[in-house]
Amino acid sequence: QYFLPPHIPRFRIETFFMWFVAVGLLAAMLRAPASHSSRADETFLGWQYVALFGFLVLVVVLQYGAGVEVGLLSDVFVITDWASRREWIHAAETGFVRPVVPMTWGLLSFLPFTWPETLHVFNLLLHAFNAATLAAIALKLGLDRASAVAAALLFVTMSSLTEAIVWISGMQDVLMTTLALGAVLAVLGLRALPDETPL
């Protein structure tokens, strides 16, 4: 309803989303914990993660594929200029130290494709990767496979993320999400390791 008439104002969708998350958290806290044995087989093999990622890429392309033709907008030109000149730090001009996005764009500039389309496609792939990582985290936390895939689909189709996916300067939010989810997954992986015998 945000995209199709009759339009619902964005702030109402965001308000609904906040209530949706609040109710979801409450339901998760009140839910009885499942026994560990019933979740022992709820995992994905390597090829299943690849298949899930491919499926999520397809969903992202169907939903946001038209955004690849949007090109560069607004402050994207500024970041593009920084990346082309290999200038990573601009604290004096902006008040922020955000080198990751210009560095990423600089690396992508070496690919033999049109730069705006390359940035858009990379952003779409990152969004799908984030959704797949979310599914991996859900499995680590004890959700069943169907719930983990549902969480990934909910994330990848969430309309409140549209700006960050289509507007290329929003890649800083998408990359931040990638790093945050990666950190959570790494911590959960470390918790799953057997305790080492102290020396």
Side-chain angles (χ1 to χ4, degrees):
Q1 287 300 319
Y2 178 66
F3 298 103
L4 302 175
H7 298 285
I8 295 178
R10 178 174 173 176
F11 73 89
R12 290 185 182 171
I13 293 178
E14 292 174 343
T15 301
F16 168 79
F17 177 64
M18 291 175 188
W19 280 107
F20 178 79
V21 170
V23 171
L25 287 173
L26 181 63
M29 288 187 293
L30 294 177
R31 178 179 169 191
S35 64
H36 180 71
S37 60
S38 67
R39 298 294 188 216
D41 62 337
E42 296 291 354
T43 185
F44 281 154
L45 301 175
W47 70 268
Q48 291 172 317
Y49 278 114
V50 173
L52 176 62
F53 175 68
F55 172 69
L56 293 170
V57 168
L58 178 62
V59 173
V60 169
V61 168
L62 289 174
Q63 186 173 5
Y64 295 111
V68 175
E69 302 298 326
V70 169
L72 306 179
L73 302 171
S74 186
D75 52 346
V76 178
F77 291 99
V78 178
I79 303 174
T80 300
D81 182 56
W82 293 344
S84 64
R85 291 188 279 125
R86 310 297 187 249
E87 295 180 2
W88 315 129
I89 306 296
H90 299 87
E93 298 96 328
T94 64
F96 299 104
V97 178
R98 294 176 174 171
V100 177
V101 171
M103 289 175 71
T104 302
W105 290 18
L107 291 172
L108 292 173
S109 69
F110 291 106
L111 295 177
F113 306 108
T114 308
W115 202 359
E117 284 77 9
T118 299
L119 296 176
H120 278 287
V121 170
F122 182 74
N123 211 30
L124 297 184
L125 292 176
L126 266 183
H127 185 50
F129 180 78
N130 289 346
T133 306
L134 182 66
I137 291 173
L139 290 172
K140 289 278 189 184
L141 291 175
L143 267 70
D144 58 273
R145 282 176 284 205
S147 299
V149 172
L153 277 174
L154 182 63
F155 177 86
V156 88
T157 57
M158 185 61 60
S159 60
S160 61
L161 304 178
T162 302
E163 182 177 339
I165 307 306
V166 177
W167 189 11
I168 290 303
S169 63
M171 189 185 289
Q172 63 186 359
D173 298 323
V174 182
L175 269 173
M176 176 187 65
T177 303
T178 304
L179 297 175
L181 290 173
V184 171
L185 188 60
V187 169
L188 292 174
L190 288 174
R191 286 178 55 191
L193 292 176
D195 293 334
E196 294 183 3
T197 304
L199 297 176

